[in-house]
Amino acid sequence: MKISVIVPVYNDSRVESCISSLLVQDYPKDLYEVIVVDNHSVASISEIISRFPVTYLREEKQGSYFARNRGLETASGDIAAFIDADCVADPGWLKNLVKGFEDPQVGGVGGKILKLPSKTWVQAAAEDLAEQQTSPQSLPFFPYPYIVTANAAYRMSILRQLGGFDTQFQSGGDVDLSGRVQQSGYQIITVQDAIVYHAARESIQGYFRQYFGYAVGHTLLFKKYRHSMDRKFFVNTYPFRGLIMIPGRLIFRSALWLSGGALATTRGTELLNLVKYIALIGGNLYGSVKYRIPFL
């Protein structure tokens, strides 16, 4: 199978490491192409991309799903594989990812996502993206499991049929696409040895924006799918339960520290949990107002 690897990038110089990892894949060179879509970045990003033998495209409409769809317009592969600019692919990523498509009923394949070495305490304490995606993920209000586009691939024929990503999403478009693929009668699976290494957010502000964006995307997902689930509203109790549990976890982990644990790590983890829960609640509220949907 020929694979088209699509990488959206917006002002992220880490795309250099991403592209470098894609050009040394343990997969026949004539059976995959790398398409990098510059989502209206500063000039230095195009200069980085121009140093590599990849297809360079530019998408003026802001948003990663606009960029990914731009890549799909040019892609010539049987499979479209997606990775983010802040990720590094294991040399066996494509070889192992494509194995998941041996079953003709499989429409989408995700791989494991591991954290890159940490540069800040925030990255060290941050949660793994998609819980390492050792299996398809799920949301309590969404009827289908999903895979995230930091490490995902789909049959091109299905993407053409579905029209690619729904660009009304800023976040959550990968969840929506997984759902539509399954609505079309195909399965979504994960392959454990198709590994991508992902850089966690470096700052508290970045961590907050990440989860705030997730929450806003969740409200739009609920709006799009609530009629098929016959639900008029949804209350996400997860962040509220998390806030209540933080004091108890701090006491428990402090007790572990007294017996030889690392208190700094404990405090950092719970601080990021606090940031995450507040971001989720804030994002849900903002999304509810923006999309006029009862979702909290």
Side-chain angles (χ1 to χ4, degrees), residues 99-126:
K99 291 177 182 177
F101 292 100
E102 292 175 355
D103 183 345
Q105 291 304 308
V106 171
V109 179
K112 182 179 279 189
I113 303 172
L114 302 178
K115 283 201 295 187
L116 284 167
S118 302
K119 296 180 180 178
T120 69
W121 72 265
V122 175
Q123 289 181 315

Side-chain angles (χ1 to χ4, degrees), residues 253-269:
R253 293 185 178 185
S254 296
L256 288 179
W257 169 72
L258 291 174
S259 61
L263 185 58
T265 302
T266 295
R267 289 172 174 168
T269 299

Side-chain angles (χ1 to χ4, degrees), residues 109-248:
V109 179
K112 182 179 279 189
I113 303 172
L114 302 178
K115 283 201 295 187
L116 284 167
S118 302
K119 296 180 180 178
T120 69
W121 72 265
V122 175
Q123 289 181 315
E127 290 186 344
D128 291 305
L129 181 64
E131 298 177 338
Q132 297 188 356
Q133 196 162 258
T134 55
S135 62
Q137 299 296 290
S138 63
L139 292 170
F141 58 86
F142 191 71
Y144 303 100
Y146 67 91
I147 50 179
V148 302
T149 44
N151 187 354
Y154 293 93
R155 294 187 189 275
M156 191 70 75
S157 58
I158 301 175
L159 295 180
R160 302 286 190 219
Q161 174 188 335
L162 297 177
F165 293 90
D166 184 342
T167 54
Q168 69 177 317
F169 288 93
Q170 288 293 313
S171 176
D174 45 5
V175 185
D176 169 69
L177 180 61
S178 290
R180 288 188 288 129
V181 168
Q182 290 166 92
Q183 285 178 331
S184 299
Y186 292 90
Q187 300 172 15
I188 297 290
I189 67 169
T190 56
V191 176
Q192 293 304 297
D193 49 3
I195 300 171
V196 157
Y197 299 90
H198 173 263
R201 299 299 191 271
E202 296 182 2
S203 67
I204 291 178
Q205 295 92 331
Y207 201 70
F208 179 89
R209 287 194 297 268
Q210 178 183 24
Y211 280 91
F212 187 91
Y214 290 163
V216 175
H218 291 169
T219 62
L220 183 54
L221 279 165
F222 180 71
K223 181 177 183 178
K224 184 172 181 177
Y225 287 88
R226 66 172 178 155
H227 294 300
S228 65
M229 296 182 290
D230 195 26
R231 302 187 70 163
K232 295 182 178 180
F233 67 91
F234 181 79
V235 178
N236 184 12
T237 62
Y238 168 72
F240 297 101
R241 288 185 284 111
L243 284 174
I244 293 171
M245 293 174 63
I246 283 179

